[in-house]
Amino acid sequence: MSTATAIAHPNIALVKYWGKRDSAINLPATGSLSMTLDIFPTTTTVSLDDSADHDVLVFNGAERTDGPAERVTRFLDIVRDLAGSALRARVETVNTVPSAAGLASSASGFAALAVAAASAYGLDLDAAALSRLARRGSGSASRSVIPGFAVWHAGDDDASSFAEPVDAPDLAMVVAMVEKGEKAVSSREAMRRTVLTSPFYPAWVSSTAESLEAAIEACRAGDIERLGRITEVNALRMHALIQSCDPPIRYLSPVSIEIFDRIAALRDTGVDAWATADAGPNVVVLTRPESVSAVTAALDGVNELAVAHPGPAASLLPRTDG
Ligand code: DP6
């Protein structure tokens, strides 16, 4: 039976995706910009099973029959539809990202699943088509298909909403793990609530579209300072927006805020470093590769830290069963 294994890495957005125009196909309200990391990979094997009447998901060694399994089946239905197949699959995934702690585990997860499932079902997809497919599983996964820096074009339909590489200066990220637990409100639900209840949402959409253009320009020009400033402002705007929901949601903890403050103080000493955070309390610091040690020193004693550089595209792994 056909089987394929793929590996993908998480990405951290410099200009965030927060809000959908069409949740049925994960069309975002705005484009976004991210760096795919070279740490915390997800490895996923998809094996077609002609005797099975349902899909099986084994996540980090444990079989799941709850929400994540249903999400995987909904995703595989899209792949089956494209491939004209009715075959069920066994999906085994090993995720080294601290799950659901706001570190984009769904991004690496659905990027790896898209690449492995496309191959197992015999689809021959180019990078843009893989990005579009991964997007259907989780919006941010569209960017984890792409190596290094990626811009996800919002697009206005399924065909035009995909990520592609963008030239960028040499940068690194320091991930400050504040908490590894599951977050109280999923980013999917929080996004939905934002669109429905925040009076600031229209301003977020228009300002993020502007920030994205400026950030892409800064990337291409190698203007790290401008890119860094846009990154931190965009992150804090997103968190302000999330707090403006009804009922409100707050992802940043007091420790997260302390890290933002420490990074601002470090910047005052002349080190180029800017903080960002996704839908969780963990903080990620964007910096120059040569300033990584200054950043880790500034965060000493506060957190578990991990250093990341631009990572590879999602890819198939060679078969090991001969
Ligand atoms: C804060 O991609 O997880 O990380 O499309 O509903 O699966 P769904 O959402 P998801 O949201 C990511 C939100 C973010 C910002 C970003 O990565 O751009």
Side-chain angles (χ1 to χ4, degrees), residues 139-225:
S140 54
S142 65
R143 300 182 312 236
S144 271
V145 166
I146 307 299
F149 287 78
V151 56
W152 171 16
H153 304 290
D156 39 36
D157 56 12
D158 174 52
S160 54
S161 188
F162 59 89
E164 62 183 359
V166 60
D167 283 339
D170 204 10
L171 287 163
M173 286 183 171
V174 178
V175 181
M177 235 85 75
V178 173
E179 274 167 38
K180 287 188 184 171
E182 298 260 330
K183 56 196 174 201
V185 184
S186 73
S187 54
R188 188 155 283 192
E189 159 58 19
M191 243 185 239
R192 203 185 59 85
R193 198 181 297 174
T194 303
V195 177
L196 291 176
T197 70
S198 173
F200 304 150
Y201 182 63
W204 159 258
V205 171
S206 58
S207 69
T208 298
E210 280 167 27
S211 299
L212 179 64
E213 268 185 42
I216 293 171
E217 236 177 69
C219 256
R220 293 199 174 122
D223 188 342
I224 291 182
E225 230 225 286

Side-chain angles (χ1 to χ4, degrees), residues 1 3 62:
M1 274 284 94
T3 178

Side-chain angles (χ1 to χ4, degrees), residues 2-115:
S2 179
T3 178
T5 300
I7 184 167
H9 294 76
N11 69 77
I12 298 293
L14 287 72
V15 175
K16 308 289 188 192
Y17 149 55
W18 195 261
K20 301 177 203 239
R21 190 140 57 107
D22 181 344
S23 53
I25 58 168
N26 276 343
L27 270 197
T30 65
S32 52
L33 171 75
S34 63
M35 184 180 108
T36 296
L37 311 185
D38 62 347
I39 58 173
F40 302 142
T42 297
T43 307
T44 297
T45 299
V46 174
S47 312
L48 305 194
D49 183 347
D50 57 6
S51 62
D53 60 1
H54 62 278
D55 300 313
V56 171
L57 170 66
V58 179
F59 183 85
N60 285 349
E63 186 169 339
R64 302 285 295 252
T65 50
D66 53 347
E70 288 161 19
R71 208 165 151 185
V72 163
T73 283
R74 277 199 302 276
F75 182 79
L76 290 177
D77 285 343
I78 297 167
V79 179
R80 282 188 277 261
D81 201 41
L82 287 170
S85 168
L87 289 180
R88 301 282 140 181
R90 178 181 174 84
V91 175
E92 280 181 72
T93 183
V94 177
N95 195 351
T96 60
V97 191
S99 285
L103 270 182
S105 57
S106 67
S108 53
F110 279 100
L113 181 60
V115 172

